[in-house]
């Protein structure tokens, strides 16, 4: 007979899980594996809430395995390291992002691009090498192979930098890969949410001219005043859109709702790049003519490899880049998910695991 989540492994763990596609989260006792020779165990202090956590708890992508403990923007303090671990020591501040495993032998893994390995193992709602389900960071303790552990620079506040492990690298990586991380480039950021707002900060730190593109005219003051964007484009305003035709070197589209990309392609200069970062659940229409006529590119990008994630975090520390967060206790979790579904957060919820989880363990 299959063992219960609490009995599968020797180390007791406690978190919050969804039990079915209603997405309702509640306290959950489970277990984690013993610390292997190359493993790092840490006490979870904070965990960010990503839009994909919402998709997963409601099974909107059709692959959810319940009970499901979400969370892949996990930070905390090392409590134990395996005999062969060289990267960190007990007491260090560390994090784990979107991945906890890959094959380590394919071309992508050999090039530090583990996220593109065909055998990636996600931090939550996946099957680990030992056949057990992976449980994410909405929990008191975490263990991962040291390859997947990111070191946190001293000057970064753990709570506000937790979302960088997903949102940060998701924007940093395409800016670098597609040649957009250069001074003087004109970069558009579509959608001013959890991803978009850190995209503005990274693009500005690279020296780009940054325009926020949004359907919400009321976000203009926030974009320009608070986040430091250079300009704001209301994508519902045809005159504004017409005036901006052919002026962007690259556009990062963070919107996960179904939307038309034709107007965005029109904003690109010749040879410009539209990079899709959101994950709409239905296919978008791809108009090919404007791509041909301007030698334009519509591309995609996931998060990033572990080496680049560390590089991103070090860059963030150097430029004082953090996410704008709303810190919540764990018993506010279901309300936070409701608000996230409506886009009612500026700009990322982070759970104060260290100070609030234990009190819900009865």
């Amino acid at each position: 007979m299959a063992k219960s989540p609490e009995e599968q492994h020797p180390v007791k763990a406690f978190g919050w899980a969804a039990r079915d596609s209603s997405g309702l989260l509640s306290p959950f006792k489970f277990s984690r594996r013993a610390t292997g020779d190359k493993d790092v165990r840490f006490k979870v202090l904070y965990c960010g809430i990503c839009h994909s956590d919402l998709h997963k708890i409601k099974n909107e992508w059709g692959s959810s395995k319940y009970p499901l403990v979400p969370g892949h923007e996990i930070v905390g303090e090392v409590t134990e390291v395996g005999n062969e671990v060289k990267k960190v020591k007990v007491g260090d501040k560390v994090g784990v992002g979107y991945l906890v495993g890959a094959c380590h032998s394919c071309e992508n893994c050999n090039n530090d691009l583990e996220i593109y390995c065909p055998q990636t193992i996600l931090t939550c709602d996946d099957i680990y090498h030992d056949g057990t389900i992976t449980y994410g960071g909405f929990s008191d303790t975490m263990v991962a192979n040291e390859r997947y552990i990111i070191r946190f620079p001293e000057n970064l506040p753990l709570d506000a930098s937790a979302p960088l492990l997903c949102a940060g690298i998701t924007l940093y990586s395409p800016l670098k890969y597609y040649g957009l991380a250069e001074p003087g480039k004109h970069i558009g950021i579509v959608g001013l949410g959890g991803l978009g707002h850190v995209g503005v900060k990274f693009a500005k730190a690279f020296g780009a001219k940054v325009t926020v593109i949004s359907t919400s005219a009321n976000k203009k003051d926030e974009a320009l005043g608070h986040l430091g964007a250079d300009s704001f484009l209301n994508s519902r305003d045809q005159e504004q859109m017409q005036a901006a035709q052919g002026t962007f070197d690259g556009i990062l589209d963070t919107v996960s709702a179904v939307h038309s990309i034709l107007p965005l392609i029109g904003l690109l200069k010749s040879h410009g790049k539209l990079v899709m970062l959101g994950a709409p659940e239905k296919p978008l229409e791809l108009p090919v003519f404007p791509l041909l006529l301007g030698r334009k590119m519509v591309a995609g990008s996931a998060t990033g490899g572990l080496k680049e994630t560390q590089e991103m975090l070090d860059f963030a520390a150097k430029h004082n880049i953090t996410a704008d967060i709303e810190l919540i206790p764990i018993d506010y979790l279901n309300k936070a998910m409701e608000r996230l579904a409506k886009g009612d957060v500026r700009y990322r919820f982070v759970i104060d695991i260290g100070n609030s989880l234990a009190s819900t363990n009865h």
Side-chain angles (χ1 to χ4, degrees):
M1 188 174 139
K3 288 185 178 178
S4 73
E6 210 174 345
E7 295 168 336
Q8 278 180 331
H9 299 290
V11 180
K12 294 286 176 263
F14 175 67
W16 277 46
R19 303 316 204 278
D20 54 47
S21 61
S22 69
L24 199 66
L25 293 138
S26 58
F28 174 61
K29 291 179 177 175
F30 63 108
S31 55
R32 298 224 186 253
R33 70 178 184 270
T35 310
D37 288 343
K38 294 185 176 177
D39 284 343
V40 174
R41 182 177 305 282
F42 63 95
K43 175 184 189 319
V44 179
L45 297 175
Y46 301 101
C47 188
I49 304 179
C50 174
H51 213 277
S52 64
D53 292 322
L54 188 59
H55 289 302
K56 278 182 173 286
I57 59 173
K58 291 181 176 292
N59 197 24
E60 287 173 359
W61 292 340
S63 60
S64 297
K65 293 170 276 299
Y66 299 100
L68 193 159
V69 178
H72 57 256
E73 299 176 347
I74 317 165
V75 286
E77 186 174 315
V78 177
T79 55
E80 189 180 16
V81 296
N83 297 332
E84 296 175 28
V85 170
K86 299 182 174 63
K87 197 179 204 174
V88 293
K89 61 186 187 305
V90 170
D92 284 357
K93 302 296 190 289
V94 298
V96 163
Y98 206 59
L99 288 187
V100 288
C103 80
H104 301 175
S105 59
C106 69
E107 187 179 1
N108 282 314
C109 285
N110 290 337
N111 288 321
D112 298 306
L113 294 169
E114 298 89 348
I115 187 67
Y116 299 111
C117 169
Q119 295 173 45
T120 50
I121 299 172
L122 305 185
T123 302
C124 61
D125 190 36
D126 209 342
I127 305 294
Y128 200 63
H129 299 297
D130 61 9
T132 60
I133 289 176
T134 59
Y135 294 119
F138 293 12
S139 61
D140 56 358
T141 180
M142 186 69 196
V143 62
N145 177 289
E146 72 170 328
R147 181 168 180 153
Y148 299 89
I149 295 285
I150 307 296
R151 297 182 306 276
F152 268 69
E154 284 295 319
N155 66 318
L156 273 181
L158 295 182
D159 54 357
S161 50
L164 299 181
L165 292 169
C166 174
I169 186 62
T170 299
L171 276 294
Y172 181 93
S173 185
L175 283 166
K176 296 278 283 194
Y177 181 76
Y178 291 107
L180 303 173
E182 296 170 13
K185 294 279 189 191
H186 186 195
I187 307 298
I189 306 282
V190 187
L192 197 57
L195 294 177
H197 89 285
V198 289
V200 172
K201 296 181 185 190
F202 277 110
K204 285 298 294 177
F206 284 129
K209 178 190 171 191
V210 181
T211 297
V212 170
I213 304 166
S214 175
T215 56
S216 310
N218 61 352
K219 289 193 173 174
K220 180 174 183 177
D221 291 345
E222 185 82 3
L224 303 179
H226 177 61
L227 295 171
D230 298 287
S231 56
F232 182 87
L233 188 53
N234 178 353
S235 52
R236 293 190 198 275
D237 185 323
Q238 290 311 311
E239 280 185 28
Q240 283 188 32
M241 291 290 283
Q242 195 57 43
Q245 292 280 302
T247 62
F248 287 84
D249 295 290
I251 295 173
L252 302 180
D253 186 345
T254 71
V255 175
S256 50
V258 174
H259 59 293
S260 171
I261 58 174
L262 179 61
L264 301 174
I265 293 170
L267 294 174
L268 293 170
K269 296 175 180 174
S270 296
H271 331 296
K273 296 157 186 165
L274 170 60
V275 186
M276 309 302 291
L277 304 174
E281 49 201 72
K282 294 200 176 81
L284 303 184
E285 282 192 15
L286 180 66
V288 172
F289 256 114
L291 298 183
L292 307 181
L293 299 175
R295 196 164 70 165
K296 298 175 183 182
M297 179 191 290
V298 177
S301 186
T303 55
L306 280 308
K307 183 180 176 187
E308 190 175 43
T309 303
Q310 186 68 60
E311 179 190 297
M312 173 277 305
L313 212 54
D314 295 341
F315 180 90
K318 186 176 169 189
H319 294 272
N320 292 313
I321 296 172
T322 54
D324 290 18
I325 66 164
E326 182 176 330
L327 192 63
I328 62 163
I330 193 127
D331 56 13
Y332 188 75
L333 192 48
N334 289 305
K335 181 69 179 166
M337 287 298 188
E338 278 176 35
R339 285 179 51 196
L340 180 60
K342 296 183 204 144
D344 174 23
V345 55
R346 283 213 166 122
Y347 281 95
R348 202 69 152 185
F349 286 118
V350 173
I351 310 165
D352 188 351
I353 301 271
N355 288 314
S356 69
L357 180 64
S359 65
T360 66
N361 186 4
H362 302 304

